[in-house]
């Protein structure tokens, strides 16, 4: 039954991988904006953190491209993406997702905790203090606040927690994806190649 389900939901699984890849583009954009606004784009550790998020994006894109570049003919005659590449891509995505979210939180540091809200920026008693103390490089304090609020929504809010849970269990959690890879991926050609190289 699970084997039939996998074939029947191939396009849904392709969509899941595509959605993860598109989300990763938003994460790269947010991380880049944070480094610019904070003036941290020259710090090696920050470059490494941004590189981790870029790696996530590029790997998901590579899984998608590989799946589409090596289509498989379905019993109906329709071409579909390579199942093993879709499964491996989804596995990579759900396994790395929590780390990417944590890295984006780390890049922003206290900015996710110290958010003042629009009402504070409009309060005549403290507005001038916030405008003086909170601007970022090339942006106002309110603009920086808007970016921090968006990153909060993406990584830390109640909705973000629900989304992280959804990504972890949606259409198969990581242990089952590993089992699917074991079951679906034909390793016989690689075994024969290893035998030849080993002289067996």
């Amino acid at each position: 039954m699970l084997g039939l389900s996998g074939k029947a939901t191939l396009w849904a699984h392709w969509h899941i991988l595509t959605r993860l890849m598109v989300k990763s583009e938003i994460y790269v954009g947010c991380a880049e904006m944070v480094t610019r606004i904070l003036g941290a784009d020259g710090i090696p550790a920050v470059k490494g953190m941004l590189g981790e998020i870029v790696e996530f994006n590029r790997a998901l894109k590579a899984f998608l491209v590989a799946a589409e570049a090596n289509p498989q003919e379905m019993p109906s005659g329709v071409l579909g993406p390579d199942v093993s590449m879709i499964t491996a891509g989804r596995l990579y995505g759900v396994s790395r997702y929590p780390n990417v979210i944590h890295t984006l939180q780390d890049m922003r540091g206290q900015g996710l905790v110290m958010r003042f809200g629009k009402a504070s920026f409009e309060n005549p008693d403290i507005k001038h203090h916030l405008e003086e103390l909170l601007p970022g490089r090339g942006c106002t304090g309110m603009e920086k606040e808007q970016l921090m609020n968006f990153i909060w929504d993406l990584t830390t809010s109640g909705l973000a927690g629900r989304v992280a849970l959804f990504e972890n269990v949606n259409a198969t959690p990581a242990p089952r994806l590993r089992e699917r890879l074991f079951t679906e991926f034909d390793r016989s050609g690689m075994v024969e190649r290893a035998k030849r190289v080993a002289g067996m």
Side-chain angles (χ1 to χ4, degrees):
M1 185 65 162
L2 284 173
L4 177 61
S5 172
K7 292 173 183 174
T9 57
L10 171 62
W11 293 104
H13 294 166
W14 173 84
H15 179 266
I16 290 168
L17 182 56
T18 302
R19 180 175 46 74
L20 277 170
M21 192 279 296
V22 171
K23 283 175 66 174
S24 74
E25 293 177 346
I26 300 294
Y27 300 154
V28 170
C30 286
E32 177 67 25
M33 285 193 292
V34 164
T35 60
R36 290 181 186 179
I37 285 175
L38 297 181
D41 45 356
I43 300 172
V46 174
K47 290 179 182 179
M49 295 167 88
L50 180 52
E52 180 183 347
I53 299 173
V54 171
E55 171 204 329
F56 182 67
N57 167 261
R58 295 292 77 198
L60 293 177
K61 179 73 172 182
F63 281 115
L64 271 174
V65 169
E68 294 168 0
N70 186 32
Q72 301 170 339
E73 187 172 348
M74 304 289 115
S76 64
V78 173
L79 289 179
D82 182 325
V83 173
S84 67
M85 293 306 294
I86 294 293
T87 302
R90 289 173 51 222
L91 175 57
Y92 177 85
V94 300
S95 298
R96 297 291 301 151
Y97 186 85
N99 293 28
V100 168
I101 294 299
H102 183 73
T103 299
L104 191 51
Q105 290 170 328
D106 268 357
M107 291 181 76
R108 185 49 203 114
Q110 295 176 350
L112 290 182
V113 178
M114 296 179 59
R115 294 176 304 121
F116 294 91
K118 186 176 180 181
S120 296
F121 278 90
E122 292 175 348
N123 182 321
D125 294 329
I126 61 172
K127 175 181 178 181
H128 62 284
H129 294 299
L130 296 178
E131 289 176 346
E132 178 185 350
L133 297 172
L134 297 179
R137 187 172 70 181
C139 72
T140 66
M142 189 62 226
E143 289 169 335
K144 186 169 80 172
E145 175 94 353
Q146 187 173 355
L147 176 61
M148 295 312 114
N149 287 339
F150 181 60
I151 294 173
W152 171 274
D153 289 342
L154 285 177
T155 67
T156 315
S157 67
L159 175 62
R162 183 194 177 282
V163 169
L165 179 62
F166 173 79
E167 294 298 1
N168 187 49
V169 299
N170 176 41
T172 323
R176 175 64 182 124
L177 289 172
R178 289 187 184 96
E179 183 185 348
R180 282 192 64 173
L181 273 178
F182 176 84
T183 303
E184 296 171 349
F185 184 64
D186 181 4
R187 299 175 295 280
S188 58
M190 295 180 182
V191 170
E192 291 306 313
R193 179 175 296 168
K195 283 182 178 180
R196 286 196 308 272
V197 172
M200 297 171 63

